[in-house]
Amino acid sequence: MNIDTKCVQGGYRPGNGEPRQVPIYQSTTWKYSTSEEMGKLFDLEASGYFYTRLQNPTNDLAASKLCEMEGGYAAMLTSSGQAANFYAVFNICECGDHFIASSSIYGGTYNLFGVTMKKMGIECTFVDQDLPLEELQKFVKPNTKCIFGETITNPTCTVLDFEKFSKLAHDNGIPLIVDNTFATPVNCRPIEFGVDIVTHSTTKYIDGHASSVGGAIIDSGNFDWMAHADKFPGLTTPDESYHGLTYATAFGKAAYITKATAQLMRDFGSIQAPQNAYYVQIGLESLHVRMERHCKNALKVAEFLESNDKVAWVNYPDLKTNKYFDLKNKYLPKGSCGVMCFGIKGGRDQSIKFMDSLNLISIVTHVADAKTCLLHPASHTHRQLTDEQLAEAGIPSDLIRLSVGLEDADDIIADIQQALDKI
Ligand SMILES: *Cc1c(COP(=O)(O)O)cnc(C)c1O
């Protein structure tokens, strides 16, 4: 099946007389007739549901659609994108370990890796993702356990060079994890380019309507944990909390997701509510149609901004003038996404005047849904930082993140035009 068909038909395939749409299994627990059957589930000897803190069928059906779309082997939903990225790394890193992440990743993930996980004894080195391979190699240490990046970074819209990073990871016997939130599997499937594990904030385009927070992890099943057994003892040595079971030998290609479910979901419980998983399922069914329109609208808006003399700069990978245009064509031939960033001449003050003059476009923290919205990190999410600190974080003080929605592009442009006319 092509990706558009997988959006609509992937995952759930009802049998005769079964519901056409994925049912919401609003149940905390499952009933078994014998104590032995129940016991086998707890020993991971049989598969089946027992408690929604670990697994729920609505979640698994939505996850399996996403898994087919990404070309993965196994997948799980989490309560948020933050939980997905935390689980994805923590599933293979423990106290004393180190990993590498692009310094351009989403601010929430940056904080999770640089501040909170540091308190757990896991060290992250942030690197400039545009450095050549030889330079990047210098950051790898004997205790480095994975590399993390975003297909298209939020909010700076830089495109990750998958081939460079997968070579870096695999030359060092470690997996590459990529957050594919902005591109979605409709526009890019990182596993096809050597990425081992993909994560999502389903809160964004997948949900698509700003209705529910969620996340997902998809494992390609391609990384050979046993070939690097000394680096990943959590997967390759017995888990005492499961009677000495070894994930990599007992579950093969499903080892990573099984461990994340059996250990991390059990202990942290960041499960997505079945109701939200249902919205993920619904959102995925129209994702291909929406992404095409997001990209079409965004390109029109980006071209308009680029040609306006009150606009200092525009960063949108689909623009021919963009630094990442070639990488975009290589990895995202259908288009990047609906998000771009730009700066208005005159900096902070003029940016604020511009934003306050908008009528149709709203100021929200959210990004990547049906309604066009924007955010000015210097006045909103990053307002505690000085201009110098912002520059250090790679976010110019005039950067406005614009998320182009599904309205008529001409109406979006007209709103921007009238607001620009006021400054
Ligand atoms: C929003 C976002 C996250 C965090 O997701 P939540 O669902 O808000 O927890 C992670 N990565 C990227 C790229 C995001 O845009």
Side-chain angles (χ1 to χ4, degrees), residues 380-413:
H380 307 135
T381 44
H382 296 62
R383 62 179 295 128
Q384 74 282 8
L385 303 187
T386 62
D387 285 7
E388 291 71 40
Q389 287 172 317
L390 278 170
E392 249 170 56
I395 299 173
S397 62
D398 65 347
L399 182 148
I400 293 174
R401 181 185 71 189
L402 176 68
S403 170
V404 177
L406 300 175
E407 304 91 341
D408 187 308
D410 292 338
D411 289 333
I412 301 168
I413 290 170

PDB file of all heavy atoms in Angstrom, residues 380-413:
ATOM      1  N   HIS A 380       7.204  35.212  24.238  1.00  0.00           N
ATOM      2  CA  HIS A 380       6.340  34.192  24.828  1.00  0.00           C
ATOM      3  C   HIS A 380       7.160  33.095  25.512  1.00  0.00           C
ATOM      4  O   HIS A 380       7.594  33.283  26.630  1.00  0.00           O
ATOM      5  CB  HIS A 380       5.396  33.624  23.755  1.00  0.00           C
ATOM      6  CG  HIS A 380       4.629  34.685  23.028  1.00  0.00           C
ATOM      7  ND1 HIS A 380       4.478  34.709  21.675  1.00  0.00           N
ATOM      8  CD2 HIS A 380       3.998  35.797  23.487  1.00  0.00           C
ATOM      9  CE1 HIS A 380       3.775  35.785  21.323  1.00  0.00           C
ATOM     10  NE2 HIS A 380       3.480  36.459  22.396  1.00  0.00           N
ATOM     11  N   THR A 381       7.391  31.985  24.781  1.00  0.00           N
ATOM     12  CA  THR A 381       8.015  30.814  25.416  1.00  0.00           C
ATOM     13  C   THR A 381       9.397  31.075  26.028  1.00  0.00           C
ATOM     14  O   THR A 381       9.781  30.424  26.974  1.00  0.00           O
ATOM     15  CB  THR A 381       8.170  29.668  24.393  1.00  0.00           C
ATOM     16  OG1 THR A 381       8.668  30.230  23.178  1.00  0.00           O
ATOM     17  CG2 THR A 381       6.852  28.980  24.143  1.00  0.00           C
ATOM     18  N   HIS A 382      10.169  31.992  25.458  1.00  0.00           N
ATOM     19  CA  HIS A 382      11.542  32.218  25.927  1.00  0.00           C
ATOM     20  C   HIS A 382      11.701  33.623  26.516  1.00  0.00           C
ATOM     21  O   HIS A 382      12.768  34.208  26.469  1.00  0.00           O
ATOM     22  CB  HIS A 382      12.537  32.049  24.771  1.00  0.00           C
ATOM     23  CG  HIS A 382      12.588  30.668  24.197  1.00  0.00           C
ATOM     24  ND1 HIS A 382      11.506  30.066  23.598  1.00  0.00           N
ATOM     25  CD2 HIS A 382      13.600  29.753  24.133  1.00  0.00           C
ATOM     26  CE1 HIS A 382      11.848  28.858  23.177  1.00  0.00           C
ATOM     27  NE2 HIS A 382      13.108  28.631  23.486  1.00  0.00           N
ATOM     28  N   ARG A 383      10.626  34.214  27.062  1.00  0.00           N
ATOM     29  CA  ARG A 383      10.661  35.625  27.436  1.00  0.00           C
ATOM     30  C   ARG A 383      11.617  35.945  28.582  1.00  0.00           C
ATOM     31  O   ARG A 383      12.016  37.093  28.772  1.00  0.00           O
ATOM     32  CB  ARG A 383       9.255  36.163  27.740  1.00  0.00           C
ATOM     33  CG  ARG A 383       8.536  35.503  28.898  1.00  0.00           C
ATOM     34  CD  ARG A 383       7.167  36.139  29.108  1.00  0.00           C
ATOM     35  NE  ARG A 383       7.242  37.536  29.515  1.00  0.00           N
ATOM     36  CZ  ARG A 383       6.601  38.536  28.925  1.00  0.00           C
ATOM     37  NH1 ARG A 383       5.835  38.302  27.888  1.00  0.00           N
ATOM     38  NH2 ARG A 383       6.727  39.759  29.371  1.00  0.00           N
ATOM     39  N   GLN A 384      12.016  34.930  29.340  1.00  0.00           N
ATOM     40  CA  GLN A 384      12.959  35.164  30.440  1.00  0.00           C
ATOM     41  C   GLN A 384      14.388  35.368  29.932  1.00  0.00           C
ATOM     42  O   GLN A 384      15.264  35.785  30.667  1.00  0.00           O
ATOM     43  CB  GLN A 384      12.889  34.021  31.468  1.00  0.00           C
ATOM     44  CG  GLN A 384      13.531  32.699  31.055  1.00  0.00           C
ATOM     45  CD  GLN A 384      12.667  31.866  30.101  1.00  0.00           C
ATOM     46  OE1 GLN A 384      11.638  32.311  29.600  1.00  0.00           O
ATOM     47  NE2 GLN A 384      13.117  30.644  29.836  1.00  0.00           N
ATOM     48  N   LEU A 385      14.632  35.058  28.650  1.00  0.00           N
ATOM     49  CA  LEU A 385      15.991  35.147  28.113  1.00  0.00           C
ATOM     50  C   LEU A 385      16.289  36.531  27.524  1.00  0.00           C
ATOM     51  O   LEU A 385      15.411  37.176  26.954  1.00  0.00           O
ATOM     52  CB  LEU A 385      16.208  34.097  27.012  1.00  0.00           C
ATOM     53  CG  LEU A 385      15.973  32.625  27.351  1.00  0.00           C
ATOM     54  CD1 LEU A 385      16.398  31.745  26.185  1.00  0.00           C
ATOM     55  CD2 LEU A 385      16.734  32.203  28.603  1.00  0.00           C
ATOM     56  N   THR A 386      17.551  36.977  27.675  1.00  0.00           N
ATOM     57  CA  THR A 386      17.990  38.223  27.039  1.00  0.00           C
ATOM     58  C   THR A 386      18.245  37.944  25.556  1.00  0.00           C
ATOM     59  O   THR A 386      18.310  36.779  25.138  1.00  0.00           O
ATOM     60  CB  THR A 386      19.317  38.704  27.659  1.00  0.00           C
ATOM     61  OG1 THR A 386      20.308  37.695  27.393  1.00  0.00           O
ATOM     62  CG2 THR A 386      19.185  38.922  29.157  1.00  0.00           C
ATOM     63  N   ASP A 387      18.423  38.996  24.777  1.00  0.00           N
ATOM     64  CA  ASP A 387      18.696  38.808  23.346  1.00  0.00           C
ATOM     65  C   ASP A 387      19.951  37.960  23.131  1.00  0.00           C
ATOM     66  O   ASP A 387      20.013  37.136  22.211  1.00  0.00           O
ATOM     67  CB  ASP A 387      18.851  40.165  22.638  1.00  0.00           C
ATOM     68  CG  ASP A 387      17.484  40.845  22.440  1.00  0.00           C
ATOM     69  OD1 ASP A 387      16.473  40.324  22.969  1.00  0.00           O
ATOM     70  OD2 ASP A 387      17.442  41.898  21.783  1.00  0.00           O
ATOM     71  N   GLU A 388      20.953  38.153  24.023  1.00  0.00           N
ATOM     72  CA  GLU A 388      22.201  37.393  23.888  1.00  0.00           C
ATOM     73  C   GLU A 388      21.959  35.903  24.170  1.00  0.00           C
ATOM     74  O   GLU A 388      22.442  35.035  23.440  1.00  0.00           O
ATOM     75  CB  GLU A 388      23.279  37.916  24.864  1.00  0.00           C
ATOM     76  CG  GLU A 388      23.822  39.301  24.547  1.00  0.00           C
ATOM     77  CD  GLU A 388      22.805  40.430  24.801  1.00  0.00           C
ATOM     78  OE1 GLU A 388      22.079  40.348  25.828  1.00  0.00           O
ATOM     79  OE2 GLU A 388      22.719  41.348  23.971  1.00  0.00           O
ATOM     80  N   GLN A 389      21.176  35.645  25.224  1.00  0.00           N
ATOM     81  CA  GLN A 389      20.874  34.242  25.558  1.00  0.00           C
ATOM     82  C   GLN A 389      20.054  33.585  24.447  1.00  0.00           C
ATOM     83  O   GLN A 389      20.247  32.417  24.125  1.00  0.00           O
ATOM     84  CB  GLN A 389      20.108  34.158  26.889  1.00  0.00           C
ATOM     85  CG  GLN A 389      20.985  34.444  28.102  1.00  0.00           C
ATOM     86  CD  GLN A 389      20.159  34.540  29.374  1.00  0.00           C
ATOM     87  OE1 GLN A 389      19.091  35.139  29.407  1.00  0.00           O
ATOM     88  NE2 GLN A 389      20.647  33.941  30.442  1.00  0.00           N
ATOM     89  N   LEU A 390      19.154  34.357  23.863  1.00  0.00           N
ATOM     90  CA  LEU A 390      18.353  33.831  22.748  1.00  0.00           C
ATOM     91  C   LEU A 390      19.264  33.459  21.581  1.00  0.00           C
ATOM     92  O   LEU A 390      19.109  32.389  20.984  1.00  0.00           O
ATOM     93  CB  LEU A 390      17.349  34.886  22.276  1.00  0.00           C
ATOM     94  CG  LEU A 390      16.056  35.015  23.080  1.00  0.00           C
ATOM     95  CD1 LEU A 390      15.287  36.250  22.635  1.00  0.00           C
ATOM     96  CD2 LEU A 390      15.188  33.785  22.920  1.00  0.00           C
ATOM     97  N   ALA A 391      20.214  34.340  21.290  1.00  0.00           N
ATOM     98  CA  ALA A 391      21.139  34.076  20.181  1.00  0.00           C
ATOM     99  C   ALA A 391      21.925  32.802  20.438  1.00  0.00           C
ATOM    100  O   ALA A 391      22.134  31.983  19.534  1.00  0.00           O
ATOM    101  CB  ALA A 391      22.071  35.263  19.985  1.00  0.00           C
ATOM    102  N   GLU A 392      22.320  32.607  21.696  1.00  0.00           N
ATOM    103  CA  GLU A 392      23.042  31.390  22.070  1.00  0.00           C
ATOM    104  C   GLU A 392      22.200  30.140  21.826  1.00  0.00           C
ATOM    105  O   GLU A 392      22.700  29.094  21.428  1.00  0.00           O
ATOM    106  CB  GLU A 392      23.407  31.438  23.558  1.00  0.00           C
ATOM    107  CG  GLU A 392      24.886  31.599  23.814  1.00  0.00           C
ATOM    108  CD  GLU A 392      25.145  31.885  25.286  1.00  0.00           C
ATOM    109  OE1 GLU A 392      24.723  31.078  26.140  1.00  0.00           O
ATOM    110  OE2 GLU A 392      25.747  32.943  25.566  1.00  0.00           O
ATOM    111  N   ALA A 393      20.896  30.259  22.088  1.00  0.00           N
ATOM    112  CA  ALA A 393      19.980  29.135  21.879  1.00  0.00           C
ATOM    113  C   ALA A 393      19.603  28.988  20.405  1.00  0.00           C
ATOM    114  O   ALA A 393      18.789  28.133  20.045  1.00  0.00           O
ATOM    115  CB  ALA A 393      18.731  29.314  22.742  1.00  0.00           C
ATOM    116  N   GLY A 394      20.185  29.856  19.555  1.00  0.00           N
ATOM    117  CA  GLY A 394      19.925  29.770  18.117  1.00  0.00           C
ATOM    118  C   GLY A 394      18.592  30.365  17.709  1.00  0.00           C
ATOM    119  O   GLY A 394      18.082  30.097  16.621  1.00  0.00           O
ATOM    120  N   ILE A 395      18.001  31.156  18.611  1.00  0.00           N
ATOM    121  CA  ILE A 395      16.696  31.755  18.316  1.00  0.00           C
ATOM    122  C   ILE A 395      16.850  33.275  18.291  1.00  0.00           C
ATOM    123  O   ILE A 395      16.949  33.913  19.342  1.00  0.00           O
ATOM    124  CB  ILE A 395      15.649  31.321  19.381  1.00  0.00           C
ATOM    125  CG1 ILE A 395      15.494  29.803  19.347  1.00  0.00           C
ATOM    126  CG2 ILE A 395      14.312  32.021  19.147  1.00  0.00           C
ATOM    127  CD1 ILE A 395      14.634  29.239  20.436  1.00  0.00           C
ATOM    128  N   PRO A 396      16.903  33.872  17.105  1.00  0.00           N
ATOM    129  CA  PRO A 396      17.029  35.332  17.047  1.00  0.00           C
ATOM    130  C   PRO A 396      15.830  36.000  17.736  1.00  0.00           C
ATOM    131  O   PRO A 396      14.733  35.442  17.746  1.00  0.00           O
ATOM    132  CB  PRO A 396      17.020  35.634  15.541  1.00  0.00           C
ATOM    133  CG  PRO A 396      17.143  34.340  14.832  1.00  0.00           C
ATOM    134  CD  PRO A 396      16.753  33.263  15.784  1.00  0.00           C
ATOM    135  N   SER A 397      16.060  37.207  18.328  1.00  0.00           N
ATOM    136  CA  SER A 397      14.982  37.850  19.089  1.00  0.00           C
ATOM    137  C   SER A 397      13.832  38.282  18.183  1.00  0.00           C
ATOM    138  O   SER A 397      12.726  38.518  18.649  1.00  0.00           O
ATOM    139  CB  SER A 397      15.525  39.047  19.865  1.00  0.00           C
ATOM    140  OG  SER A 397      16.032  39.989  18.944  1.00  0.00           O
ATOM    141  N   ASP A 398      14.076  38.348  16.876  1.00  0.00           N
ATOM    142  CA  ASP A 398      12.977  38.739  15.969  1.00  0.00           C
ATOM    143  C   ASP A 398      12.263  37.524  15.365  1.00  0.00           C
ATOM    144  O   ASP A 398      11.356  37.676  14.555  1.00  0.00           O
ATOM    145  CB  ASP A 398      13.502  39.668  14.860  1.00  0.00           C
ATOM    146  CG  ASP A 398      14.504  38.977  13.920  1.00  0.00           C
ATOM    147  OD1 ASP A 398      14.990  37.872  14.256  1.00  0.00           O
ATOM    148  OD2 ASP A 398      14.800  39.556  12.864  1.00  0.00           O
ATOM    149  N   LEU A 399      12.660  36.303  15.774  1.00  0.00           N
ATOM    150  CA  LEU A 399      12.058  35.104  15.156  1.00  0.00           C
ATOM    151  C   LEU A 399      10.580  34.953  15.513  1.00  0.00           C
ATOM    152  O   LEU A 399      10.214  34.919  16.691  1.00  0.00           O
ATOM    153  CB  LEU A 399      12.829  33.846  15.576  1.00  0.00           C
ATOM    154  CG  LEU A 399      12.363  32.502  14.992  1.00  0.00           C
ATOM    155  CD1 LEU A 399      13.557  31.558  14.810  1.00  0.00           C
ATOM    156  CD2 LEU A 399      11.291  31.806  15.822  1.00  0.00           C
ATOM    157  N   ILE A 400       9.739  34.869  14.480  1.00  0.00           N
ATOM    158  CA  ILE A 400       8.316  34.560  14.654  1.00  0.00           C
ATOM    159  C   ILE A 400       8.091  33.189  14.028  1.00  0.00           C
ATOM    160  O   ILE A 400       8.480  32.961  12.878  1.00  0.00           O
ATOM    161  CB  ILE A 400       7.422  35.618  13.970  1.00  0.00           C
ATOM    162  CG1 ILE A 400       7.559  36.969  14.684  1.00  0.00           C
ATOM    163  CG2 ILE A 400       5.962  35.169  13.952  1.00  0.00           C
ATOM    164  CD1 ILE A 400       6.840  38.105  14.003  1.00  0.00           C
ATOM    165  N   ARG A 401       7.499  32.277  14.803  1.00  0.00           N
ATOM    166  CA  ARG A 401       7.173  30.960  14.246  1.00  0.00           C
ATOM    167  C   ARG A 401       5.734  31.004  13.745  1.00  0.00           C
ATOM    168  O   ARG A 401       4.827  31.291  14.521  1.00  0.00           O
ATOM    169  CB  ARG A 401       7.323  29.881  15.314  1.00  0.00           C
ATOM    170  CG  ARG A 401       7.025  28.471  14.778  1.00  0.00           C
ATOM    171  CD  ARG A 401       7.063  27.443  15.883  1.00  0.00           C
ATOM    172  NE  ARG A 401       5.918  27.567  16.778  1.00  0.00           N
ATOM    173  CZ  ARG A 401       5.784  26.907  17.924  1.00  0.00           C
ATOM    174  NH1 ARG A 401       6.717  26.084  18.327  1.00  0.00           N
ATOM    175  NH2 ARG A 401       4.720  27.067  18.674  1.00  0.00           N
ATOM    176  N   LEU A 402       5.581  30.754  12.462  1.00  0.00           N
ATOM    177  CA  LEU A 402       4.243  30.792  11.863  1.00  0.00           C
ATOM    178  C   LEU A 402       3.845  29.379  11.456  1.00  0.00           C
ATOM    179  O   LEU A 402       4.588  28.683  10.768  1.00  0.00           O
ATOM    180  CB  LEU A 402       4.262  31.712  10.627  1.00  0.00           C
ATOM    181  CG  LEU A 402       2.969  31.785   9.815  1.00  0.00           C
ATOM    182  CD1 LEU A 402       1.852  32.481  10.601  1.00  0.00           C
ATOM    183  CD2 LEU A 402       3.214  32.534   8.496  1.00  0.00           C
ATOM    184  N   SER A 403       2.671  28.954  11.903  1.00  0.00           N
ATOM    185  CA  SER A 403       2.162  27.639  11.554  1.00  0.00           C
ATOM    186  C   SER A 403       0.969  27.846  10.627  1.00  0.00           C
ATOM    187  O   SER A 403      -0.091  28.303  11.052  1.00  0.00           O
ATOM    188  CB  SER A 403       1.762  26.915  12.845  1.00  0.00           C
ATOM    189  OG  SER A 403       1.061  25.745  12.553  1.00  0.00           O
ATOM    190  N   VAL A 404       1.178  27.555   9.360  1.00  0.00           N
ATOM    191  CA  VAL A 404       0.145  27.839   8.362  1.00  0.00           C
ATOM    192  C   VAL A 404      -0.891  26.709   8.372  1.00  0.00           C
ATOM    193  O   VAL A 404      -0.549  25.532   8.264  1.00  0.00           O
ATOM    194  CB  VAL A 404       0.782  28.003   6.962  1.00  0.00           C
ATOM    195  CG1 VAL A 404      -0.295  28.232   5.911  1.00  0.00           C
ATOM    196  CG2 VAL A 404       1.780  29.152   6.969  1.00  0.00           C
ATOM    197  N   GLY A 405      -2.145  27.100   8.512  1.00  0.00           N
ATOM    198  CA  GLY A 405      -3.237  26.138   8.644  1.00  0.00           C
ATOM    199  C   GLY A 405      -3.886  25.784   7.323  1.00  0.00           C
ATOM    200  O   GLY A 405      -3.256  25.871   6.251  1.00  0.00           O
ATOM    201  N   LEU A 406      -5.140  25.403   7.417  1.00  0.00           N
ATOM    202  CA  LEU A 406      -5.853  24.868   6.260  1.00  0.00           C
ATOM    203  C   LEU A 406      -6.858  25.854   5.672  1.00  0.00           C
ATOM    204  O   LEU A 406      -7.673  25.480   4.836  1.00  0.00           O
ATOM    205  CB  LEU A 406      -6.578  23.571   6.668  1.00  0.00           C
ATOM    206  CG  LEU A 406      -5.679  22.445   7.188  1.00  0.00           C
ATOM    207  CD1 LEU A 406      -6.511  21.263   7.681  1.00  0.00           C
ATOM    208  CD2 LEU A 406      -4.707  21.979   6.104  1.00  0.00           C
ATOM    209  N   GLU A 407      -6.796  27.128   6.104  1.00  0.00           N
ATOM    210  CA  GLU A 407      -7.705  28.118   5.530  1.00  0.00           C
ATOM    211  C   GLU A 407      -7.307  28.389   4.074  1.00  0.00           C
ATOM    212  O   GLU A 407      -6.320  27.858   3.582  1.00  0.00           O
ATOM    213  CB  GLU A 407      -7.616  29.438   6.332  1.00  0.00           C
ATOM    214  CG  GLU A 407      -7.891  29.336   7.832  1.00  0.00           C
ATOM    215  CD  GLU A 407      -6.622  29.076   8.656  1.00  0.00           C
ATOM    216  OE1 GLU A 407      -5.598  28.627   8.078  1.00  0.00           O
ATOM    217  OE2 GLU A 407      -6.667  29.281   9.881  1.00  0.00           O
ATOM    218  N   ASP A 408      -8.029  29.281   3.413  1.00  0.00           N
ATOM    219  CA  ASP A 408      -7.642  29.713   2.071  1.00  0.00           C
ATOM    220  C   ASP A 408      -6.363  30.541   2.204  1.00  0.00           C
ATOM    221  O   ASP A 408      -6.313  31.491   2.989  1.00  0.00           O
ATOM    222  CB  ASP A 408      -8.774  30.546   1.461  1.00  0.00           C
ATOM    223  CG  ASP A 408      -8.511  30.873   0.000  1.00  0.00           C
ATOM    224  OD1 ASP A 408      -7.407  31.393  -0.300  1.00  0.00           O
ATOM    225  OD2 ASP A 408      -9.391  30.595  -0.830  1.00  0.00           O
ATOM    226  N   ALA A 409      -5.339  30.198   1.453  1.00  0.00           N
ATOM    227  CA  ALA A 409      -4.046  30.879   1.564  1.00  0.00           C
ATOM    228  C   ALA A 409      -4.185  32.393   1.342  1.00  0.00           C
ATOM    229  O   ALA A 409      -3.487  33.187   1.974  1.00  0.00           O
ATOM    230  CB  ALA A 409      -3.051  30.287   0.573  1.00  0.00           C
ATOM    231  N   ASP A 410      -5.080  32.789   0.466  1.00  0.00           N
ATOM    232  CA  ASP A 410      -5.237  34.221   0.197  1.00  0.00           C
ATOM    233  C   ASP A 410      -5.749  34.969   1.426  1.00  0.00           C
ATOM    234  O   ASP A 410      -5.391  36.131   1.652  1.00  0.00           O
ATOM    235  CB  ASP A 410      -6.181  34.447  -0.989  1.00  0.00           C
ATOM    236  CG  ASP A 410      -5.550  33.954  -2.288  1.00  0.00           C
ATOM    237  OD1 ASP A 410      -4.302  33.851  -2.340  1.00  0.00           O
ATOM    238  OD2 ASP A 410      -6.297  33.659  -3.238  1.00  0.00           O
ATOM    239  N   ASP A 411      -6.598  34.335   2.210  1.00  0.00           N
ATOM    240  CA  ASP A 411      -7.096  34.971   3.439  1.00  0.00           C
ATOM    241  C   ASP A 411      -5.981  35.094   4.483  1.00  0.00           C
ATOM    242  O   ASP A 411      -5.912  36.076   5.210  1.00  0.00           O
ATOM    243  CB  ASP A 411      -8.273  34.177   4.019  1.00  0.00           C
ATOM    244  CG  ASP A 411      -9.540  34.317   3.170  1.00  0.00           C
ATOM    245  OD1 ASP A 411      -9.687  35.362   2.495  1.00  0.00           O
ATOM    246  OD2 ASP A 411     -10.352  33.382   3.169  1.00  0.00           O
ATOM    247  N   ILE A 412      -5.125  34.096   4.542  1.00  0.00           N
ATOM    248  CA  ILE A 412      -3.990  34.139   5.475  1.00  0.00           C
ATOM    249  C   ILE A 412      -3.055  35.281   5.072  1.00  0.00           C
ATOM    250  O   ILE A 412      -2.639  36.098   5.898  1.00  0.00           O
ATOM    251  CB  ILE A 412      -3.220  32.786   5.477  1.00  0.00           C
ATOM    252  CG1 ILE A 412      -4.145  31.635   5.871  1.00  0.00           C
ATOM    253  CG2 ILE A 412      -2.001  32.861   6.402  1.00  0.00           C
ATOM    254  CD1 ILE A 412      -3.562  30.239   5.612  1.00  0.00           C
ATOM    255  N   ILE A 413      -2.758  35.347   3.785  1.00  0.00           N
ATOM    256  CA  ILE A 413      -1.860  36.388   3.274  1.00  0.00           C
ATOM    257  C   ILE A 413      -2.468  37.773   3.496  1.00  0.00           C
ATOM    258  O   ILE A 413      -1.771  38.710   3.907  1.00  0.00           O
ATOM    259  CB  ILE A 413      -1.529  36.125   1.780  1.00  0.00           C
ATOM    260  CG1 ILE A 413      -0.635  34.880   1.681  1.00  0.00           C
ATOM    261  CG2 ILE A 413      -0.874  37.343   1.128  1.00  0.00           C
ATOM    262  CD1 ILE A 413      -0.419  34.344   0.283  1.00  0.00           C
TER     263      ILE A 413
END
